[in-house]
Amino acid sequence: MERPMSKECLMYKEDFEEFLARLIEGHSIFCPSGEDISPGIKKVAGREQFALHRGPSHFSFKHYFLPQTERLFSFDMASNKIDASNGELDDNKLVVLIGLRPCDAMAIELLDQVFLQRGPEDVFYARRRRRTRIISFACSEPRTTCFCESVGCGPDAAASADMVIFALKDSYIVKTITQCGEELLNNTGMNLDGVSTEKLGEREQMINESRDRLEKVFTSEDLNGKIMDFEASYWKQICQKCLGCGICTYFCPTCHCFDIVDEVAGSKGRRIRSWDSCMYPLFTLHASGHNPRPTRKERMRQRIMHKFVYSMEQYGRRFCVGCGRCVIHCPVNLDLRLVIKEIAEGK
Amino acid sequence: MNNPYIPMPARIEKITTENEARDIKTFDFSFVNNEDKDGFLFLPGQFAELSLLGFGECPIGIASSPTEVGHLLFTVKRTGFVTKHLHRAEVGDTIGIRGPFGNSYPLDLMEGKNVLIVGGGFAFTTLRATTMYMLEHNNRGRFKELTIVYGARSPGELIYKQELWDWEKSTDLNMFITVDKGDERWKRREGFVPTVLEDIAPSSQDTVALVCGPPVMIKFTLPVLQKLGFPPERIFLSLEMRMKCGIGMCGRCNIGHKYVCVDGPVFSCAQLDELPQEY
Ligand SMILES: Cc1cc2nc3c(=O)[nH]c(=O)nc-3n(C[C@H](O)[C@H](O)[C@H](O)COP(=O)(O)OP(=O)(O)OC[C@H]3O[C@@H](n4cnc5c(N)ncnc54)[C@H](O)[C@@H]3O)c2cc1C
Ligand code: SF4
Ligand code: SF4
Ligand code: FES
C-alpha cells in the first residue's frame, strides 16, 4: 500500500509512559478491553487503561472493522425514503489501534483482501481502515493454543502494522514499519536513541524463546502441496463431535461472512448486516428447500477448506493466522491443529 | 459515500401472471431516476437484487434483453418471504433494485456459431433475455442457427406463452415446445425436455449450448448433450445459490473458490468440472 519505512529506536520505561501519554492526548486510541463482552475493545482515555495481555486478546480487532451488526441504511416504508447518512464513517479523525498481537494484525491484512482488494471496496470497511493506524506488540508469551508459526505468521510478524513494539525486560524497542508509523512516532515529538546491539540481542532471545514455546502440532511443511481433498472420507469423522454452534467462526479474526436483514418498527426500519457463519444450515439453504451443504460434514469442510485451500486460490493467502481462538472456545474441544495434523497424515 | 447496498427506486409498470398456478409473475420496471436507468448496463444472463424495504432482498435473473429499450423484466416465482410480498405489489408501486450483478452468457463465444438453448419451467428467464438479444434484428446476423427446446410440467406452467407461439411460427429460430403431460387441448409435443432433446438430436457442430432449468432436468440433459458431442467447454449452465450481497463480500454463495454472484452465475461444464460438486 505504501513505501515500507523501517526504523528502530529504544524507549526506556519512562519514555514509553510519555509516548503513551502523548499518543492518548492527540488521537483516538483503542486497545483490547480485557473483557469478554463484545466488541472487546475500548477507547483509551488515560494511561491506566492500557495494559498488555498475554498472547492474543479475548476478541480480535475484527469487531472494529466489521462490527457484529452494522446499519447499512435506514428507511421509512411509508414514504420509501432511504437515509444512508453515517456520522461514524464520515469522521475522518485518525484512530490508533494499540496492543494487537501480530496474528491479529495479520488478520486485518487478510480482511483487506476481501473488503478492499478483491473487487469494489466495501465503503464501511474502507472508511474505518483508512483512518486507522496499527501499533502491534510482538509476542513474548504465546498461549498453549497458539500456532502462528505453522501458518506463516509469527511472534514478530509485522503484517499490516504501522509500528511494532517489542516489550523487553526494562525497555521497549519501537520499530516503525510504514511512513504512517514513522509520522505517528514523530508527532509525539519524542527524542529517542537508536538500539544497542545488546538490546537487539535481548530481543532476539525473546523472540526465539517465544518461538520455542509455540507448540508445533503441525508445521508449515504440512501445508505444502495439495493438503486437503474435498472428496476425502476424513471429513465425516472430523465433524462427528461438532455441535454446529459457530463459535469458532465468531471468534476467528479472519472469518468475515455476513447476513443482511431488515429490522422494522412501525413504518420505520433499517437494513443491517450482521455476522453469519458457514457452520449454520440456514447459511446456504435455498428457498426451494435444497441445501448444497445439508450436514455438518459439508459445513465443517467448507470452513476448513475455505481457510486453507479456497483462499489460496482466491487471494494467494491462507485465512488462518494461528491465533488459536477457535481451539480455546470450541465447547467440544475440536482442535483445528489436530484436524490439520490428521489430514496431513492422510487419515 | 458510494454505498453499494442502497437499492435504486424502480416503479412497477406492468404485471403479467405467467402460469395457471398463478405463482409466477413477470414485473416490468422503470427506474425512477434517469441516472439509474442510464447506469444500469447489463447483458443477458446477469441478475439483480430486488429489494422491498422492511422485507428484504432476493436475487432474480434479468428476464429482458438490453435491446428491449424501455422494459426491465423480472419473472418471479412466489417461493418464500420476500417473493410473497413482491407478489402482493401492484402496478405503480415502487420497489428497489440493486445490480446488475454477475457475468453473462458467453456472447463472444456464441458469436458466429449455432446456439442451442435448453430450458425448463420458470428458469427460462435469463434464457428469454438471451433469445430476445439474439433475435434483435441488428444482432441476429451475429449468430448462426438458433434452436430452443423449452418445456414445463403442464401447458399451464409454460411461461411467456405468447412469445413461445410467436417464436414457433418464426423462421428466425427452431422452436420446440414440450410439456411433461398435456391436457385435452394440448396439440403439441409431450415428453421431458431431455427426451425431446434426444429425439431432435441437434448437431453439436460449431454449436454452443445454454442450459437452465430445475436440477432434475439438468441432470438428465447433460448426458444427452454429451452424447450429441458437445464438449464441456461449450455447455453453459446458470447456477443458483442462496445470496445476500451479490458483490462477493458476504461469503455465502461460493462453490470452492468461486463466488457464484461475481464469477457466475453462468459457468461452463468445463469450469464446473474443476470445482467441488457442491451446488
Ligand atoms: C442468480 C439467481 C437468479 C435467480 N433468478 C430467479 C428468477 O429469475 N426468478 C425467480 O423466481 N427466482 C430466481 N432466483 C431464486 C430466488 O432468488 C429465490 O427464490 C428467492 O431468493 C426466494 O426468496 P424468498 O424471500 O421468497 O425466500 P425465503 O426462503 O423466505 O427467504 C430468502 C431470504 O429472504 C429473507 N427473509 C426470509 N424470511 C424473512 C423474514 N421473516 N424477515 C426478513 N427477511 C426474511 C432472508 O433474507 C432470506 O435469506 C434466482 C436466484 C439466483 C441466485
Ligand atoms: S481458524 Fe482458528 S486459529 Fe486460525 S485464525 Fe481463525 S480462530 Fe485463529
Ligand atoms: S466451535 Fe466447535 S462445536 Fe462449535 S461449530 Fe466450531 S467446531 Fe463445531
Ligand atoms: S452473495 Fe455475497 S458473496 Fe455472493
Side-chain angles (χ1 to χ4, degrees):
Chain A
M1 259 198 254
E2 62 175 277
R3 191 155 56 99
M5 192 104 182
S6 197
K7 194 180 124 183
E8 297 189 321
C9 45
L10 192 74
M11 284 183 188
Y12 288 100
K13 281 234 148 68
E14 321 76 76
D15 300 326
F16 182 68
E17 292 303 321
E18 186 62 28
F19 169 72
L20 276 182
R22 292 189 190 183
L23 214 54
I24 291 166
E25 211 176 85
H27 304 90
S28 237
I29 310 251
F30 289 88
C31 77
S33 69
E35 290 168 9
D36 57 4
I37 310 164
S38 180
I41 51 175
K42 65 176 179 198
K43 196 160 172 163
V44 186
R47 164 64 185 99
E48 67 291 349
Q49 288 173 323
F50 175 73
L52 272 180
H53 44 90
R54 183 173 173 211
S57 46
H58 185 77
F59 289 118
S60 77
F61 279 69
K62 156 171 101 175
H63 297 248
Y64 175 74
F65 296 102
L66 185 69
Q68 212 163 344
T69 63
E70 163 134 59
R71 164 189 164 277
L72 299 172
F73 55 81
S74 313
F75 53 78
D76 186 287
M77 290 160 75
S79 63
N80 249 322
K81 284 263 179 324
I82 287 180
D83 173 13
S85 59
N86 189 327
E88 194 249 312
L89 291 185
D90 291 337
D91 186 355
N92 278 325
K93 263 221 311 290
L94 219 59
V95 169
V96 181
L97 303 183
I98 185 166
L100 307 70
R101 293 302 182 183
C103 51
D104 284 343
M106 183 177 272
I108 297 169
E109 189 178 75
L110 296 171
L111 294 179
D112 286 351
Q113 303 279 327
V114 179
F115 292 110
L116 301 180
Q117 269 140 41
R118 185 179 204 272
E121 287 186 352
D122 182 273
V123 278
F124 300 89
Y125 184 90
R127 286 277 167 107
R128 294 196 185 98
R129 185 70 179 90
R130 295 252 151 72
R131 67 177 183 214
T132 301
R133 303 291 176 263
I134 292 170
I135 304 181
S136 64
F137 277 73
C139 223
S140 55
E141 286 184 296
R143 292 168 180 253
T144 53
T145 43
C146 290
F147 58 101
C148 51
E149 286 261 291
S150 310
V151 288
C153 187
D156 60 344
S160 95
D162 294 292
M163 190 188 295
V164 183
I165 299 183
F166 300 81
L168 307 181
K169 272 195 231 50
D170 58 358
S171 58
Y172 298 82
I173 295 178
V174 175
K175 181 175 181 176
T176 57
I177 308 291
T178 63
Q179 190 168 359
C180 291
E182 177 83 22
E183 281 165 14
L184 211 55
L185 185 61
N186 288 345
N187 290 347
T188 57
M190 308 269 298
N191 208 348
L192 298 167
D193 292 337
V195 188
S196 63
T197 21
E198 188 198 344
K199 291 287 177 191
L200 289 177
E202 194 185 333
R203 173 173 70 183
E204 197 181 330
Q205 196 187 347
M206 172 190 126
I207 295 300
N208 283 342
E209 279 173 16
S210 269
R211 288 216 168 93
D212 290 345
R213 250 187 258 177
L214 284 168
E215 294 207 31
K216 316 257 173 342
V217 180
F218 70 95
T219 64
S220 50
E221 274 95 79
D222 289 328
L223 295 178
N224 287 343
K226 185 178 176 187
I227 56 163
M228 282 169 201
D229 182 3
F230 184 86
E231 303 291 349
S233 57
Y234 46 67
W235 298 114
K236 206 152 177 191
Q237 286 138 250
I238 291 169
C239 72
Q240 284 301 322
K241 62 178 182 178
C242 171
L243 307 171
C245 67
I247 295 273
C248 47
T249 56
Y250 278 65
F251 272 98
C252 180
T254 74
C255 276
H256 54 269
C257 292
F258 58 82
D259 193 7
I260 300 178
V261 287
D262 288 5
E263 277 183 350
V264 183
S267 82
K268 297 213 188 303
R270 42 182 218 156
R271 188 158 289 171
I272 57 169
R273 68 173 170 193
S274 54
W275 292 358
D276 203 347
S277 169
C278 60
M279 301 305 271
Y280 300 146
L282 267 180
F283 192 68
T284 46
L285 180 69
H286 291 203
S288 64
H290 170 64
N291 195 342
R293 296 188 204 127
T295 73
R296 284 195 309 266
K297 174 189 132 186
E298 292 84 13
R299 301 194 282 272
M300 176 68 76
R301 178 172 64 191
Q302 160 66 19
R303 175 169 82 93
I304 295 178
M305 285 196 73
H306 192 192
K307 293 206 171 303
F308 290 91
V309 179
Y310 305 155
S311 65
M312 278 302 271
E313 298 179 69
Q314 286 170 324
Y315 310 105
R317 299 286 299 268
R318 299 217 149 86
F319 265 49
C320 172
V321 292
C323 72
R325 287 190 183 89
C326 58
V327 180
I328 298 172
H329 297 289
C330 176
V332 294
N333 292 323
L334 211 149
D335 189 328
L336 179 63
R337 300 169 299 177
L338 293 173
V339 169
I340 305 284
K341 185 75 196 156
E342 275 175 41
I343 293 177
E345 283 170 356
K347 284 206 181 147
Chain B
M1 190 172 84
N2 179 19
N3 180 337
Y5 299 104
I6 296 181
M8 303 174 278
R11 215 180 88 98
I12 301 175
E13 299 296 344
K14 190 176 168 210
I15 301 175
T16 312
T17 301
E18 296 284 357
N19 62 342
E20 231 164 57
R22 305 186 65 78
D23 61 356
I24 303 171
K25 286 184 179 177
T26 296
F27 299 85
D28 192 349
F29 290 100
S30 67
F31 284 109
V32 171
N33 303 315
N34 271 328
E35 61 272 23
D36 292 340
K37 172 169 157 257
D38 296 340
F40 197 84
L41 302 173
F42 67 98
L43 288 171
Q46 290 195 278
F47 69 96
E49 288 279 348
L50 301 189
S51 153
L52 296 179
L53 295 179
F55 299 99
E57 295 184 308
C58 54
I60 305 288
I62 305 172
S64 53
S65 157
T67 52
E68 297 175 81
V69 179
H71 297 277
L72 180 60
L73 303 181
F74 293 90
T75 301
V76 182
K77 186 177 163 85
R78 192 175 64 230
T79 327
F81 187 71
V82 179
T83 50
K84 176 177 82 189
H85 284 275
L86 187 58
H87 268 244
R88 290 187 184 155
E90 292 169 7
V91 170
D93 286 354
T94 298
I95 70 139
I97 297 179
R98 283 200 297 131
F101 296 133
N103 64 359
S104 66
Y105 282 109
L107 297 169
D108 289 344
L109 180 76
M110 287 150 58
E111 189 147 352
K113 293 196 179 66
N114 304 312
V115 178
L116 168 67
I117 286 180
V118 186
F122 78 103
F124 195 56
T125 60
T126 56
L127 291 177
R128 176 199 176 273
T130 312
T131 305
M132 292 308 267
Y133 182 85
M134 290 191 285
L135 289 181
E136 202 269 331
H137 65 275
N138 284 322
N139 285 341
R140 187 62 194 93
R142 290 166 52 199
F143 308 92
K144 290 190 356 204
E145 204 163 310
L146 168 59
T147 305
I148 300 181
V149 183
Y150 170 63
R153 246 178 306 136
S154 61
E157 292 307 300
L158 294 164
I159 62 171
Y160 312 132
K161 286 188 199 57
Q162 193 49 53
E163 282 163 357
L164 296 180
W165 314 147
D166 291 348
W167 290 342
E168 208 171 33
K169 281 182 238 135
S170 165
T171 52
D172 267 348
L173 74 168
N174 313 311
M175 182 78 213
F176 300 91
I177 306 169
T178 180
V179 294
D180 296 355
K181 181 111 190 53
D183 53 24
E184 356 23 285
R185 282 168 301 155
W186 184 252
K187 301 276 180 324
R188 293 177 174 79
R189 223 173 273 270
E190 271 191 11
F192 298 115
V193 169
T195 322
V196 171
L197 181 68
E198 202 163 8
D199 291 346
I200 307 164
S203 164
S204 58
Q205 269 292 310
D206 207 23
T207 307
V208 177
L210 315 178
V211 185
C212 196
V216 54
M217 183 206 94
I218 292 176
K219 187 172 159 209
F220 290 105
T221 298
L222 294 182
V224 175
L225 290 174
Q226 214 173 5
K227 231 164 63 189
L228 292 170
F230 283 89
E233 295 77 29
R234 280 197 271 117
I235 306 173
F236 290 83
L237 298 178
S238 182
L239 299 187
E240 272 188 23
M241 274 293 195
R242 189 178 174 119
M243 291 183 179
K244 285 288 167 170
C245 69
I247 49 177
M249 301 262 180
C250 76
R252 182 173 312 268
C253 67
N254 73 301
I255 303 173
H257 67 283
K258 296 283 188 202
Y259 282 123
V260 174
C261 67
V262 287
D263 303 313
V266 179
F267 293 93
S268 73
C269 283
Q271 285 175 306
L272 291 177
D273 287 345
E274 302 279 303
L275 295 176
Q277 300 292 304
E278 194 174 49
Y279 42 89

